[in-house]
Every structure is written in C-alpha cells, then in structure tokens.
Amino acid sequence: MNYHITKKSAYSLGIVKTKSTGVVVVKIAIDIHRDNSLSDQAAYLIYPDALFAGAGKYDRAAFLNELGLLGSSFDASFTDGKLHLEIQSSKEAFPKLLKLVTIALEEPQFTASELKRISTTITNKLKQAQKKGAYVAKRELKNACYAAGDRRHTASHVSLIKKFSDTDKKTLSSLHERVLAKPWTVTIGGETGDVELVEKMVAKLKQGKEVPDEKVIHAQLPTKSALKLQDIPSLSNIEYSLGLSLPLYLHDDEYTPLSFALSVLGYPGFGSRLMQTIREKEGLTYGIYASLESTTAAEKGYVQIRTFFMPSKTVFALDCTFKQIAKLHKSGITTKEFDNFKKILKDKQVLLQDSLLNQVAQLHYYNYNGFTVEEIEVQKNKLDTITRSEVNKAIKKYLDPKYFVISGAGPVKAVQKDIQRFMKSVS
C-alpha cells in the first residue's frame, strides 16, 4: 500500500506517491463546525462561490479565466460544517494552479456586489432544491436523527434565505479566518516534487494561525420511530429516505459487521435482498439502496435506505420493504450471503485502487478520521476476520424496524392517511 501520512499540529498530510502519471490530485478538508447556527449555515452556502468571485488583483471573470487557461479544476464546497477543496491538474500546470489557489485563500475580495449576486444564485438553487424529492426526504431524515445544534441538521430554506441579507463581507472574512486557523486534512496524489509544493503552500497559509478554542456541538437524537412527509405535487413519484440514528463510531467493533449487514440488505447491485425483492420480483422501483452515513471517528452516524415508489404502489412497496428489514432483523444473513458478500466487498477494495482519484479519495477518508497507515491496514483487514455471528448480532441490536423513521417527499397528499396507518402497524 503506497500510502504515507504525516501529522503536524496545523495539518495532517496524506500522500499517495506516484511516478510519471502526469496528473496531480489534491483534497483538503477543514472542519469549522461550531453550534450549527443559522448564521453559519447561511455563510457556508455563500462562501464557496465567494472564493472564486475575485481575489488579489483578479476580479471574478479574470480569476476564472486564469483557471480556465490552465485546463485545471479547483472546486470548493461545504458539507455539514466541513469545507472541501479539490484540486486536479496536469503536472505541467500544477505550480501555476497552486499560485491561484494561494491567492484565493490569502486575498479573497468578498465584494458587496459579488455577494449580492451569489445570494441571488443560492436563493434560486435553494428554492429549486425544495422540489427535489430525494434531497428533501434525506434532509428530513437527518433532521429526525439530529438536534438543531448538530452539523447534520439543516434549517428551513426560508430561514436561510432571510439570513443571506446579513451575510456580508465581515461575516465571510470571519469565516475565512476560521478556515485558515482550523486544522487541515490534506491528501495528495502526485510525485515527490508535487508533494513538496503542496506542503509548502499549506505551511505558508497556516503560518501564525492560532486554532480557535470553540465549543463544538454533536447532538444525535435517540432512535425513535417517526413519519416525515413533504408534499411536492409536481413530482410523479414519492422519494423515500428510511433510516434511524446509529450510536456507533467508526472505530467501534460493531461498525464493520453492521456495514456488512447493510450491504447484504441494500448494496448497489442486483445481489442485495432489497434489489432482488423490491425491484426484480415486485417491480416497484428502479433502485433501492442501504448504507451507513456520516459516521466518523468522533461522531455517530445514521442508517439510510433510499428509494422511490409510485404513489399508487407506495403502501404496498413500504410494506414489502419493511418485511425485508424485519426478516433480516429476526433471522440475520445466511451463510451463502456471508460468503458472497465477503467476496463482493473484497473485490470492491481492490477496484478502489484502479485509479489515482480513487486512491486519493480513500486515503483522504482515513486521513480525515485520524488513522495511521498501520490502522488503515487493520481496518481493511477487519473484513477478513469478522464472522457471520458478529454480523447477525449487530443486526439484532441496531436494525429493529419499529425504530425506523420514514421520510417521504413527493405527491403524498392523496395517500398520506394510508401511509400514516401503515406507519402505526410498523411502530
């Protein structure tokens, strides 16, 4: 495994060493979550675009033009209070790209005219997002699993849009100082010279920055059955996120067995129970998948089953789905399933090494969660050592269908009472 991790007080540097690929990939994650205030959530939505809206001597058009001339990509996004910066470039253009990145992070302009433009753009995007059933269903599942102060909880789009008018240069400059001050997780795939350039840039940006002493709120709610329905009459199907909060951390012994169990239940492919029954046998959806979400070394995640059903078939489809969850909870997985999915998941690990992008993404995940290279190897090898008994014990402990939240978004009005009656039969 060609991985290396160097930990310093201001940043952690993960390296996938390459030779003559001609491509450099960099991922940076910066966790600045505090109390998930409305002000912070609004600023998180505006900040990524603001980074590209003028820096140093460049206005927005000139900065984007310089970036385009390099044929490289530099992207920024916020997810749950974490800023993600992603850089991809040819080796030849990489030094020039890092100069642009440095300017963006050292001298952002945050002009009033650009912030007004960005606020309008984000307002329109938020309004459009309310018509996307999968987005709304997942948001409401997370809001059922986490209290308002937790990074996974999202304020209403109406409240966020109102807050944009208060998100000025002072607000974003304060946020930017936190971005520079907080510890960085940096992961790079490239040659030795590329690594040296990145480390030099990061050290320069971090120099003299003190980490702020801030109270961070993690507030997972106890597992409790709930029904969350959002009517979006313009849609033809009801999108669902079914799930529950999970009181496990990434390093917990039961994490790998439970992750294995959810693969058997809803792995993206035709071998999982839900795909075999809900799609292939009953023809009720095109896709239905189960996964563990948002679990880290420091924060507890949640289970999500995502799918969609026609309104006229929705109660029958939910019944079929929950029967599969109940069957899994009662009897666990079979020996055949255990053997098959061991091979499937091992093959997946191998396939993750087939590209530089995948290797960097995998190392970045472990780097962010504080793993050493040795601990990464141990984590991967857990798949070889877990037993079917451990998987079934985890299922019995954590996947009781009576605790599941049903979050649906789409044309629910005509079938809302039927869904409510079904929910009572489950809980």
Side-chain angles (χ1 to χ4, degrees):
M1 184 169 58
N2 193 26
Y3 289 168
H4 305 269
I5 296 177
T6 301
K7 296 182 184 293
K8 299 191 176 182
S9 58
Y11 61 90
S12 175
L13 180 64
I15 304 166
V16 180
K17 287 189 176 180
T18 64
K19 291 183 179 180
S20 303
T21 64
V23 177
V24 187
V25 179
V26 182
K27 288 181 176 290
I28 301 173
I30 307 162
D31 187 351
I32 62 168
H33 169 65
R34 296 183 294 190
D35 59 1
N36 204 38
S37 67
L38 184 62
S39 177
D40 276 353
Q41 288 188 57
Y44 296 162
L45 288 169
I46 292 175
Y47 177 87
D49 282 0
L51 268 186
F52 301 94
K57 68 180 182 180
Y58 301 103
D59 63 12
R60 174 174 172 268
F63 185 88
L64 294 176
N65 183 60
E66 287 292 315
L67 189 59
L69 289 173
L70 294 175
S72 305
S73 67
F74 170 35
D75 299 306
S77 61
F78 256 107
T79 304
D80 296 339
K82 289 177 282 192
L83 175 65
H84 301 277
L85 302 176
E86 298 194 9
I87 302 166
Q88 292 184 40
S89 174
S90 66
K91 181 175 175 58
E92 182 182 21
F94 189 61
K96 293 180 181 179
L97 176 60
L98 285 190
K99 288 181 180 179
L100 277 179
V101 173
T102 301
I103 291 170
L105 293 171
E106 279 189 328
E107 307 174 66
Q109 293 174 357
F110 301 145
T111 62
S113 59
E114 284 295 336
L115 295 185
K116 183 177 180 180
R117 178 190 62 80
I118 294 168
S119 294
T120 300
T121 300
I122 301 300
T123 293
N124 292 333
K125 286 182 178 179
L126 271 181
K127 288 179 178 179
Q128 288 298 315
Q130 309 317 306
K131 301 176 184 179
K132 297 178 180 178
Y135 166 82
V136 173
K138 184 174 183 178
R139 181 192 66 200
E140 293 307 307
L141 170 63
K142 292 196 294 181
N143 285 356
C145 292
Y146 298 96
D150 192 280
R151 68 171 78 241
R152 276 70 60 98
H153 195 282
T154 303
S156 74
H157 73 287
V158 174
S159 299
L160 288 167
I161 290 169
K162 287 181 179 178
K163 197 65 180 175
F164 288 161
S165 60
D166 297 330
T167 309
D168 55 12
K169 181 174 182 177
K170 182 180 178 180
T171 304
L172 290 182
S173 295
S174 176
L175 170 57
H176 188 67
E177 283 302 310
R178 286 166 56 204
V179 166
L180 294 178
K182 286 288 192 176
W184 287 19
T185 300
V186 184
T187 310
I188 175 173
E191 298 180 42
T192 300
D194 307 319
V195 174
E196 291 173 352
L197 286 176
V198 170
E199 189 161 20
K200 183 178 179 181
M201 179 192 75
V202 172
K204 179 185 178 184
L205 290 168
K206 298 290 292 173
Q207 187 175 9
K209 302 295 182 181
E210 294 185 7
V211 177
D213 184 16
E214 297 176 325
K215 183 180 180 181
V216 179
I217 294 178
H218 303 152
Q220 187 183 61
L221 296 173
T223 298
K224 183 180 179 181
S225 175
L227 177 62
K228 306 286 184 179
L229 296 177
Q230 297 287 320
D231 189 42
I232 309 177
S234 60
L235 298 181
S236 56
N237 293 308
I238 302 174
E239 299 276 355
Y240 283 101
S241 279
L242 318 172
L244 72 175
S245 54
L246 181 67
L248 284 177
Y249 297 104
L250 186 59
H251 292 287
D252 287 344
D253 290 340
E254 293 168 309
Y255 176 83
T256 298
L258 190 62
S259 180
F260 190 102
L262 287 169
S263 294
V264 176
L265 181 64
Y267 187 80
F270 290 97
S272 69
R273 288 193 182 188
L274 290 176
M275 283 293 281
Q276 287 179 348
T277 55
I278 310 305
R279 174 176 171 165
E280 291 190 67
K281 181 181 177 181
E282 302 292 349
L284 295 168
T285 188
Y286 285 113
I288 180 165
Y289 311 113
S291 58
L292 292 181
E293 301 285 337
S294 197
T295 305
T296 71
E299 296 176 87
K300 301 169 185 176
Y302 64 99
V303 172
Q304 182 193 17
I305 299 172
R306 58 196 185 279
T307 190
F308 65 88
F309 302 128
M310 292 174 57
S312 61
K313 300 287 184 68
T314 195
V315 173
F316 176 66
L318 285 171
D319 183 55
C320 291
T321 302
F322 272 84
K323 281 179 178 176
Q324 288 301 316
I325 300 171
K327 181 179 178 181
L328 184 73
H329 181 252
K330 180 180 179 180
S331 304
I333 66 172
T334 66
T335 301
K336 182 178 179 180
E337 287 173 326
F338 182 70
D339 293 340
N340 285 346
F341 273 87
K342 257 200 170 184
K343 184 179 185 306
I344 289 171
L345 297 175
K346 287 294 290 184
D347 288 346
K348 180 184 177 181
Q349 284 188 356
V350 173
L351 289 174
L352 284 174
Q353 304 304 310
D354 69 354
S355 75
L356 183 59
L357 283 173
N358 284 342
Q359 290 181 61
V360 172
Q362 185 182 72
L363 180 59
H364 191 59
Y365 168 79
Y366 287 118
N367 189 15
Y368 176 80
N369 282 289
F371 282 76
T372 65
V373 172
E374 293 75 20
E375 287 170 338
I376 293 173
E377 197 66 29
V378 170
Q379 184 74 8
K380 288 185 174 183
N381 289 339
K382 285 183 178 179
L383 191 57
D384 294 324
T385 59
I386 63 169
T387 65
R388 187 167 72 95
S389 175
E390 290 173 328
V391 173
N392 287 339
K393 285 179 181 178
I395 292 170
K396 181 64 70 174
K397 186 173 181 179
Y398 295 111
L399 295 184
D400 190 333
K402 72 181 180 182
Y403 294 117
F404 268 64
V405 174
I406 296 178
S407 176
V412 301
K413 191 172 182 180
V415 292
Q416 184 168 342
K417 290 183 179 179
D418 294 330
I419 299 172
Q420 289 170 342
R421 281 193 289 270
F422 169 78
M423 187 68 187
K424 290 179 181 178
S425 72
V426 174
S427 57

